[in-house]
Amino acid sequence: MNEILIASFGAALFFLLRWGFRNLPGERWQMIGSIPLSKREDGSWRGANFTYYGLFNAVALVLATATMICLMGAAAIPGTGILCVAFCVFAASIPAAKFVARLVEKKKSVFSVGAASFVGVIVAPWTVFVVKKSFGFDAPVVAVLAALGIAYAFGEGVGRLACVSFGCCYGKPLSQCGAFYGKLFEHRHFVFTGKTKKIAYAHQLDGQPVVPIQAVTSVVYCAAGLLGMFLFVNGFFASAYLLALLATQLWRFASEFLRSDYRGGGKISAYQKMSLAATAYGLFIALAFPSPEVFPVHLVDGLEVLWDPWSILLLQILGVAIFIYMGKSSVTGSILSFHVNRDNI
């Protein structure tokens, strides 16, 4: 049953990512809606835009949280412990996505998942240690860390669809890459359209073939998540934790060499330094909290915890909050006008 559930989840991710890679670079898939705020002298309205960037980030965080609840529930961690771990990690990492990005990029309206993941890697082990002591559950610390790492891999893997939609975190133009990358991505590149996408107003690269770095990151992270989940359900918690950690953090370091968006000054960005520091720190944590003897867990038990009304309510509140927090665009605006369709009266 574990393998069937993992394979089914992988198939759903495959079709979601395939659809996203084909459609989201288009101009149609940036704005999900606009709300009128104030009326102008000409009778039109100034609007606030809400983006698919916010929607996909909300979906990604809900998916990551659901994965975390399911895996922790499968490892017999009580619901109160799961909620405490989730609250503490989110309370530290979500604000860091904006605060640290502002410090690095010197811009007001920016978010960075790299900053959030760095803070999460730092605070998670000690949060889990304290919660475990407080609630006295039997699951080892490294099992909880593995669940968090796998959930993060899925969250950022799906969350990269938000970047494709908004045209941020984009790759270098193929014309500026060497022959190897030019040949590799000759038929697998992205071409973004729309002047309100970041790739257009920041580097004027709309309409040009660029390295599909967001897509590659999605595939790498989701594949790491699926393999990590397989190791987790078979009781190899330390291996699952290290796989999720190394795959996400080392790929973050490597992938930035193929990115063209501004990541701060220097040949090695602050985010790359954070990823290397997080890798070293995570290896230390794996040694500090050794894994016990291998014992299997069952995803069906985790799904029962996930189906609890409180879990469902938490996911709904989290999704709406993140959509509003990250979906309201401050770098784009809109002018709205309304009319009556006389033929339909």
Side-chain angles (χ1 to χ4, degrees), residues 65-67 69-70 301-309 311-312 315:
T65 306
T67 301
I69 293 173
C70 182
D301 297 334
L303 290 175
E304 292 180 358
V305 177
L306 183 61
W307 193 243
D308 184 271
S311 297
I312 297 173
L315 295 177

Side-chain angles (χ1 to χ4, degrees), residues 222-241:
C222 288
L226 290 170
L227 182 55
M229 185 179 286
F230 176 78
L231 293 172
F232 185 94
V233 298
N234 285 283
F236 298 101
F237 300 129
S239 298
Y241 169 63

Side-chain angles (χ1 to χ4, degrees), residues 81-270:
I82 296 174
L83 291 178
C84 285
V85 171
F87 177 81
C88 293
V89 173
F90 288 159
S93 59
I94 291 178
K98 193 167 189 176
F99 178 73
V100 177
R102 284 184 176 184
L103 292 179
V104 173
E105 301 180 38
K106 312 299 182 186
K107 296 179 181 179
K108 181 179 179 181
S109 301
V110 288
F111 293 98
S112 172
V113 179
S117 69
F118 174 73
V119 173
V121 169
I122 299 300
V123 304
W126 309 109
T127 298
V128 173
F129 178 77
V130 172
V131 172
K132 178 178 169 65
K133 290 294 184 181
S134 300
F135 292 94
F137 54 81
D138 295 330
V141 171
V142 72
V144 185
L145 295 179
L148 289 171
I150 293 167
Y152 166 70
F154 285 130
E156 184 163 358
V158 173
R160 284 297 161 181
L161 294 178
C163 302
V164 180
S165 170
F166 201 76
C168 61
C169 306
Y170 42 90
K172 292 182 177 180
L174 293 187
S175 59
Q176 297 179 12
C177 298
F180 173 77
Y181 291 111
K183 186 67 175 178
L184 179 63
F185 297 115
E186 181 180 4
H187 302 293
R188 303 177 183 88
H189 54 262
F190 279 159
V191 176
F192 291 89
T193 56
K195 294 300 181 182
T196 55
K197 289 186 182 285
K198 186 176 181 180
I199 192 172
Y201 63 75
H203 278 96
Q204 296 77 50
L205 294 176
D206 53 312
Q208 299 186 37
V210 296
V211 174
I213 195 64
Q214 306 100 320
V216 179
T217 299
S218 290
V219 172
V220 170
Y221 280 31
C222 288
L226 290 170
L227 182 55
M229 185 179 286
F230 176 78
L231 293 172
F232 185 94
V233 298
N234 285 283
F236 298 101
F237 300 129
S239 298
Y241 169 63
L242 290 175
L243 172 66
L245 173 76
L246 296 177
T248 55
Q249 299 303 319
L250 293 182
W251 174 250
R252 179 178 301 282
F253 176 83
S255 66
E256 291 207 8
F257 291 113
L258 291 174
R259 289 175 60 166
S260 190
D261 59 319
Y262 180 71
R263 308 292 289 164
K267 293 183 179 180
I268 304 296
S269 74

